[in-house]
């Protein structure tokens, strides 16, 4: 238990978002948005003009920041940078793939569900249960 990553206990733990405009605006209306002193936001709106490099850079930036506890990313955007999402292995910030209104959710591509399935299959093999 001592080696577990701790989420900051101050009021600074944020949720970051990488998603389409409608999804981001919905979360901003719920109070998730933040702009720091350097005028950096905790979200990236992905549209047809957004480059793959911008998405990759935002993902790397959000996962490296100490004050972010969760990164919400639309699944279709996560599929664009699947190699980064799948290679990310830290517990904090947690990466959660969410559906968007224009792209259906596919549980087969969800990195969290894939890891859970792997854990349960490894436990069942180790314990002799199936």
């Amino acid at each position: 238990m001592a080696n577990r990553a701790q989420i900051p206990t101050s009021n600074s733990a944020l949720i970051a978002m990488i998603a389409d405009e409608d999804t981001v605006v919905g979360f901003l209306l719920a109070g998730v948005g933040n702009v720091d002193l350097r005028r950096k936001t905790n979200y990236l709106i992905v549209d047809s003009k957004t480059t793959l490099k911008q998405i990759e850079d935002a993902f790397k930036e959000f996962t490296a920041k100490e004050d972010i506890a969760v990164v919400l990313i639309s699944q279709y955007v996560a599929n664009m940078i699947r190699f980064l999402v799948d290679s990310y292995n830290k517990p904090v910030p947690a990466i959660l793939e969410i559906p968007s209104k224009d792209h259906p959710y596919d549980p087969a591509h969800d990195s969290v569900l894939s890891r859970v399935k792997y854990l349960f299959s490894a436990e069942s093999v180790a314990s002799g249960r199936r």
Side-chain angles (χ1 to χ4, degrees):
M1 290 271 196
N3 292 335
R4 288 190 165 202
Q6 296 294 316
I7 296 174
T9 56
S10 67
N11 291 335
S12 65
L14 299 173
I15 296 174
M17 292 204 59
I18 304 173
D20 59 280
E21 184 175 21
D22 291 341
T23 304
V24 171
V25 167
F27 278 90
L28 291 177
L29 288 171
V32 170
N34 185 58
V35 179
D36 66 12
L37 295 173
R38 294 172 291 150
R39 312 240 346 122
K40 291 282 214 170
T41 61
N42 64 328
Y43 58 87
L44 173 68
I45 296 175
V46 177
D47 58 16
S48 61
K49 298 174 188 164
T50 307
T51 65
L52 192 59
K53 178 156 178 32
Q54 288 173 311
I55 297 169
E56 290 174 4
D57 290 345
F59 182 84
K60 290 175 185 175
E61 176 186 343
F62 294 154
T63 55
K65 289 180 76 173
E66 299 268 333
D67 62 343
I68 293 181
V70 178
V71 176
L72 299 176
I73 183 167
S74 290
Q75 190 177 50
Y76 82 95
V77 176
N79 287 336
M80 293 180 197
I81 58 167
R82 180 58 59 195
F83 64 97
L84 279 177
V85 174
D86 287 345
S87 65
Y88 181 80
N89 60 2
K90 297 178 184 172
V92 177
I95 308 299
L96 298 176
E97 296 179 31
I98 59 173
S100 65
K101 75 175 192 178
D102 295 330
H103 298 87
Y105 177 75
D106 183 5
H109 290 106
D110 191 324
S111 60
V112 172
L113 288 177
S114 298
R115 290 177 184 164
V116 169
K117 281 182 187 177
Y118 176 76
L119 276 174
F120 281 116
S121 66
E123 284 180 9
S124 64
V125 169
S127 67
R129 291 181 287 160
R130 292 210 182 227

